[in-house]
Amino acid sequence: MSTILEELATIYSDHVWLEVSPQQIEKTWFAEHDYSYYVARWTAFKNRLTLDAFLVWIKEESGIDKQADLWPSIEDLPSIWEVVNGTAVQIGKTRIILIPNDETDIDEFCVPAEWVDIPSWAGDYYLAVQVNIDGPNGGWLRFWGYTTHKKLKQAGQFDKIRRTYSLEREELIEDLNVMWVARKFDGDEKAPVESLPNLSAAEAEELLKQLGQPSCYSPRFKVDFEKWGALIGNRTWRRELYQRRVMPQPPVKPALELWRCLQNDFVEAAQAGWQKFEEVFGTTYENFYGLRGIRGLSYNREAYRDSPGSPKHAASVKLAKPIDLGVKTTKLSLALVTVLTQEVNQQIRFRIQLSPIIKSQAGGTGSRNLPEGLKLIFTDESGKIFQDVAAGSGDRIIQTKLFSGEPGDRFTVKIVLRNACLTERFII
Amino acid sequence: MDEIIEMFSTYLGLGDSNGRLVIRQVSDSELATHITSLLQFYPDANAEFFARKFLKDLRQFLRSLMGDIITLVLSNPGANTEFVMLLLLNALRLCLELRESRHLVVFLQHIGKISARRVYRRWQNRLQLTQLYTQQDFYQIAWSIASNPAKFFRKFKFPSSLTNYARSTMERKINDEIFPHLGLGAHMCSDWGLLRRESRSFLKEALQTRWSEKQLIDCYLSARDCFNQIYAPHTAPGSHSLSKPTVEQFQAMADLYNQLVQPATIAGSEDIRQWLNECIIALRLYRQIDITSIDTPSSSEEYSPPFCETIPDRPSHCQWERLNVQEPAEQFMAVLPQFLATIPENHRQLLLLKCGCGLSFRLIAPFFGVVPSTVNHRYNTAKQALLNQVAQWATQMLGVSSESYDLEEISARLEECLKKYYQDFVFRSVLQNALSLVDCQYRTMLHLRYFRQMNEADIACQLPISTQEVVNGLATSSQSLESAIASWLQNHIEAPPDLLMPVPNWITKLVQTLVETYLDHNFISTEKEKCQQF
């Protein structure tokens, strides 16, 4: 540590002073580049420097013996830094929010409202970090105080334009040892956080379209906070937002409207690449109702009982869609199959299957077995996984269980093989 | 009693003495009369008592005054911003003129003198800094801070020690004042770099020195907020110089401003550019603010006496310059040894070096043959262990909660106690005995130099001997005390000999500190008698 920093550490003995080398600064700067505007990149740079230094300090100097984990995960950090300053670290049950700032003075501590008012984001403690990297000999970080969620909510000045909670320097606790001890007492340091309204998938999609366009400042100011908080509080949507802002988006495929198919309206289905089952597989049902090789369904009789054509069904449809995962395997042709039935009580039930297309009619020698590890993942509109089926060795077909739903319900099916992923969307 | 009268009625300033700037003391007769009369009611009270009393009275006055202002504003529906500002300015003036406020100003001046000296001594080796500041500058910074006690004590909470709060806050504020000039701040930035780096609160202060209209200031601040949302360096860090925002960026700032603020008149990019330029000008001027001495003649006169001569003069009753150190809570001191006994021996030795001797982690590390970060780790472990025990004790015995802000109070008391405990330990283990072996005349010189803060020439006048004899006497006596402490430390913590011989600078400072701030009252009484005999 340089002499002057040592002197500062003696004068401000409660603060934690960490030196940062020019090499660290340069390495971190060039590592953080996938952001859609300059301020986001700078935010990511400051936070990464702070986080790396903090994790090392926790381990080597803090005096506590707990492991620190990132929240929610290291992969999620870019999606957070793209839109707001701050990093969350979890130590046991305690969540600490690091808020780095590169201003000259430390008169005021500002925390973005996201870290206080989004229920899943709110922390227990908020750590103020001053970042200085302007010298030719590197820079330093200064952890100069902390406060609690309760203090921010009850005593913080809320700026509704900047959407921040602020405290003056004197209102922070400058000795971090107090935080570590307070943590052990497990005291009541968090104020109640009101839940945010639920967003439907349609509303979320609308927001993603609006906010997903790259812009030169954070999208957090473009909509009211309740909607914004609900959107980025959801991990899937937040990641989607990041993807759209940072990476070019392929055109969104329309969802297959199953109810139309039940009414013999196949126009849109055909446009989306769906065909009648027989057109893809021929007239054989070997792949479907074989006694072996069906994963995802434990009892074959159920498959027959629920098969189209059985008396209790008012209408039934089987559609298939050849899919290309882009995997370079000459013998693999796959098709996604939708088995759809409408019962006499109008309830719609469906199952999704994945099967190889045996090119037996053409005299080919296509593989009968699915590649091991091929996955079929069924999720609802919010991204929640309802079933995840993987092909094992020798499997010829994988399928979901029989689901039912209400008209208008949306779901998604993903087919994943190693790094390849294909998504199909459906509306019941 | 004389010390208390002096501490609350004798202003400090700088005056010329044979071409040198020295501290002058000017007594305020009104304040002296008032404090003397209070002492008749409270004969056993100390400085802490009176300071707390004056602060309580000041706060009561302020509350009452604000209540009157609010009543006045509400009863005048047509009152505009200027009217309210005028009321507040008058209130501030009344507050500063209040006798209790003036007592506190004097009190803080005395605190500030000691704090300024400490801070200056600490930074003395930084050549760059002493080229920027002299010790007299540090005094003036401290006295400037002392001039508004309502603001100074804004965050003070009873029943904490007011004197300790004043000392630590004064030192921190002096350090904060010089911090930007240590080559660590943004004072070498380009205009856009400066605008980006300065804090919002600092910018607000800067704007308030140029503009009084709140709406205008808010407009500039909002423009700057939008600037910070859109503008950031996009090349590798390390440069002070940032380029001007592009046309597109100015337009984006205008769009964001209009969206957030929703002004009556839509702002354009040119408006934003102009407002940001005003912010930059305000920051530049505020950073390099001209300081005019209070002794400068007023514009209408070619010559006027120094400011301190405008205050009625009366002979000073000062015999001692003394800083009252508030004794830490007795309960804490009583239980501290049993808590210390539970932590490892090497942690206790570390605390002795850190709290008792005032060493940094870097200087402590060689004593244990480890790196400074390991010392830091052990110190944090020890402190957390002690704080945990003290907090549990305080929760059970005193009913204190275990939430962060209550633990902070406990931690502050613990630090005071540790410092007092270990300094007392060093003093009683070695220094007291070592002092008794020093020649009487030399002991007197030490006392006058480090306790009363007199310089060699003044000591020579008092004794009376030559200045050179004083210098030699101080050197000889200091060396014997330093050797005694070094020898004791070597035995007590089994330190490597090369760390303590030759005697390092920090032991020299430790001797000065112990004589200056840690006092055995019996010793002082005895010395006082001996001085009078001498």
Side-chain angles (χ1 to χ4, degrees), chain A residues 6 61 102 134 175 221, chain B residues 196-197 259 362 376 383:
Chain A
E6 282 173 14
E61 296 190 30
D102 57 346
D134 278 343
D175 184 359
F221 299 109
Chain B
R196 217 184 68 76
R197 288 290 306 274
Q259 179 195 324
R362 183 179 64 84
N376 195 353
K383 190 162 177 199

Side-chain angles (χ1 to χ4, degrees), chain A residues 145-408:
Chain A
Y146 86 95
T147 188
T148 63
H149 181 269
K150 191 190 260 189
K151 182 77 172 176
L152 275 172
K153 278 298 282 186
Q154 293 176 350
Q157 291 285 324
F158 181 66
D159 184 321
K160 61 181 180 186
I161 294 182
R162 291 188 296 159
R163 292 187 184 169
T164 55
Y165 286 89
S166 302
L167 289 172
E168 290 185 21
R169 177 183 174 174
E170 289 83 3
E171 293 174 290
L172 267 66
I173 298 170
E174 299 197 13
D175 184 359
L176 297 191
N177 286 312
V178 175
M179 181 175 71
W180 302 129
V181 174
R183 201 184 133 255
K184 282 186 188 169
F185 281 93
D186 207 17
D188 181 23
E189 312 259 46
K190 222 166 167 174
V193 182
E194 284 182 20
S195 55
L196 295 169
N198 287 325
L199 283 180
S200 68
E203 284 172 319
E205 180 58 34
E206 206 47 51
L207 285 172
L208 287 170
K209 266 190 207 156
Q210 179 189 355
L211 306 177
Q213 299 296 322
S215 59
C216 57
Y217 54 88
S218 173
R220 62 192 289 258
F221 299 109
K222 291 188 177 177
V223 293
D224 62 60
F225 183 80
E226 285 69 31
K227 285 186 185 165
W228 168 251
L231 183 74
I232 63 166
N234 179 293
R235 187 185 191 189
T236 306
W237 293 336
R238 186 180 66 244
R239 283 183 162 190
E240 181 71 22
L241 179 65
Y242 170 73
Q243 295 279 344
R244 292 193 191 194
R245 288 177 64 83
V246 171
M247 296 173 194
Q249 293 295 308
V252 178
K253 288 186 280 187
L256 177 66
E257 293 178 81
L258 299 177
W259 62 274
R260 288 187 189 277
C261 300
L262 285 168
Q263 292 176 356
N264 285 323
D265 178 0
F266 297 103
V267 172
E268 290 190 6
Q271 286 172 353
W274 291 90
Q275 304 172 46
K276 289 184 181 175
F277 179 85
E278 296 78 9
E279 289 173 2
V280 176
F281 287 94
T283 54
T284 177
Y285 286 103
E286 181 181 347
N287 291 337
F288 244 61
Y289 298 115
L291 295 177
R292 291 178 292 182
I294 298 179
R295 189 171 289 271
L297 187 63
S298 58
Y299 188 47
N300 293 333
R301 189 172 297 175
E302 184 182 343
Y304 181 73
R305 186 182 68 227
D306 288 328
S307 68
S310 62
K312 67 178 189 174
H313 297 111
S316 64
V317 171
K318 255 194 313 191
L319 298 175
K321 177 177 178 180
I323 58 172
D324 180 11
L325 282 174
V327 177
K328 291 182 174 63
T329 305
T330 56
K331 295 183 179 178
L332 178 68
S333 297
L334 288 176
L336 194 66
V337 177
T338 304
V339 183
L340 193 64
T341 59
Q342 185 172 33
E343 297 180 353
V344 293
N345 61 3
Q346 303 304 307
Q347 189 179 32
I348 298 173
R349 299 176 81 180
F350 57 92
R351 188 198 305 280
I352 308 295
Q353 298 169 330
L354 193 58
S355 169
I357 303 170
I358 312 289
K359 296 185 193 298
S360 53
Q361 290 175 344
T365 54
S367 171
R368 288 172 174 269
N369 296 331
L370 292 171
E372 197 172 341
L374 178 69
K375 282 188 166 191
L376 187 64
I377 304 172
F378 181 98
T379 71
D380 71 0
E381 58 192 7
S382 69
K384 179 182 172 185
I385 296 176
F386 277 78
Q387 192 172 9
D388 180 349
V389 187
S393 172
D395 284 341
R396 295 183 188 178
I397 186 173
I398 54 176
Q399 62 182 0
T400 67
K401 63 183 182 182
L402 207 58
F403 286 100
S404 62
E406 300 296 323

Side-chain angles (χ1 to χ4, degrees), chain B residues 145-157:
Chain B
I145 294 167
S147 64
N148 191 338
K151 183 179 174 184
F152 184 91
F153 286 113
R154 192 159 58 99
K155 296 295 177 185
F156 173 74
K157 288 181 252 185

